[in-house]
Amino acid sequence: MRVIAGQAKGKRLKAPPGMNTRPVTDMIKEALFNVLGDKVRNSLFLDLFAGSGSVGIEALSRGAQQVVFIDNNASAVGIIKDNISNCGFNEGFAVYRNDVFKALTLLDQRETKFDLIYVDPPFTIEKIFDQIIHALDQINILKQNGRIILRTQRKKQLTAKLECLEEYRTNNYGESVLHYYRMYEEVKPNDGDF
């Protein structure tokens, strides 16, 4: 696992031990950032269920203004901090050990808003995917033109239209799928793929 592009390009990243995390492959990460493109530079980026921090670190490397990493596992939080340090970053990030659902409530209470939210819940908890997308739909932490990207296992179907969010793109990569959401009221005729 490595940083693909930007300031920390080529830096190797460690993953937390054990089978509870499924580090995103370089292929999926590269495809994700190809889709996000210029939206990453100067963005406020939230990495939920951050694991190794690989996706958030990639955003930092590509010029995100601020990246917030959240994971409830102490080992994962330690690895994220080590990976950030190894990549040479000393500002533009915050790492929190917290339950993601509690953290979302706190972020909402603080009126913190993000341009990009990447969500990578554990594949071993079947109901968590629906719970997290509904939780994100019910709080107000996504900027008007922001995007939410949720990684699931291939067989998982998600609600396409919620109260505030709408799924507008999916991409399959082996056993993983990336689901892209945006604010429902933003949708306009002739809106491009992204």
Side-chain angles (χ1 to χ4, degrees), residues 17-192:
M19 296 300 292
N20 289 330
T21 58
R22 312 126 346 273
V24 66
T25 65
D26 288 350
M27 180 199 73
I28 296 173
K29 190 165 57 171
E30 186 162 17
L32 166 67
F33 281 91
N34 284 341
V35 171
L36 297 180
D38 291 339
K39 285 190 172 286
V40 177
R41 181 163 295 285
N42 299 317
S43 67
L44 300 181
F45 193 104
L46 179 59
D47 190 350
L48 297 175
F49 305 97
S52 67
S54 169
V55 172
I57 290 169
E58 188 72 34
L60 264 180
S61 184
R62 292 174 185 241
Q65 178 184 328
Q66 176 81 13
V67 178
V68 175
F69 300 84
I70 299 174
D71 201 288
N72 71 348
N73 181 285
S75 174
V77 166
I79 293 286
I80 293 166
K81 290 178 178 177
D82 287 349
N83 282 337
I84 290 170
S85 176
N86 180 53
C87 289
F89 296 110
N90 50 31
E91 61 182 8
F93 63 88
V95 182
Y96 297 107
R97 181 181 177 204
N98 202 340
D99 173 81
V100 163
F101 293 94
K102 289 180 184 171
L104 289 176
T105 300
L106 290 171
L107 291 168
D108 192 29
Q109 289 170 350
R110 294 176 187 166
E111 298 183 358
T112 308
K113 292 186 186 288
F114 295 91
D115 299 290
L116 298 167
I117 301 174
Y118 178 74
V119 192
D120 199 347
F123 282 14
T124 54
I125 305 173
E126 172 66 28
K127 62 185 178 180
I128 200 166
F129 303 103
D130 293 310
Q131 289 173 334
I132 193 67
I133 198 62
H134 282 90
L136 286 163
D137 187 58
Q138 295 301 311
I139 61 173
N140 189 19
I141 66 166
L142 185 67
K143 289 187 180 180
Q144 185 62 35
N145 294 314
R147 301 290 188 260
I148 296 171
I149 305 94
L150 175 59
R151 180 181 170 210
T152 70
Q153 68 248 74
R154 189 180 189 104
K155 64 185 180 193
K156 180 65 183 168
Q157 296 293 314
L158 291 176
T159 304
K161 286 192 179 180
L162 298 106
E163 190 174 322
C164 299
L165 299 173
E166 146 167 293
E167 183 182 65
Y168 69 96
R169 177 182 183 137
T170 59
N171 291 107
N172 299 322
Y173 306 97
E175 291 305 307
S176 293
V177 179
L178 295 181
H179 302 261
Y180 293 79
Y181 284 83
R182 61 185 166 196
M183 300 289 277
Y184 181 62
E185 60 268 21
E186 179 200 334
V187 179
K188 306 171 192 72
N190 303 320
D191 209 1

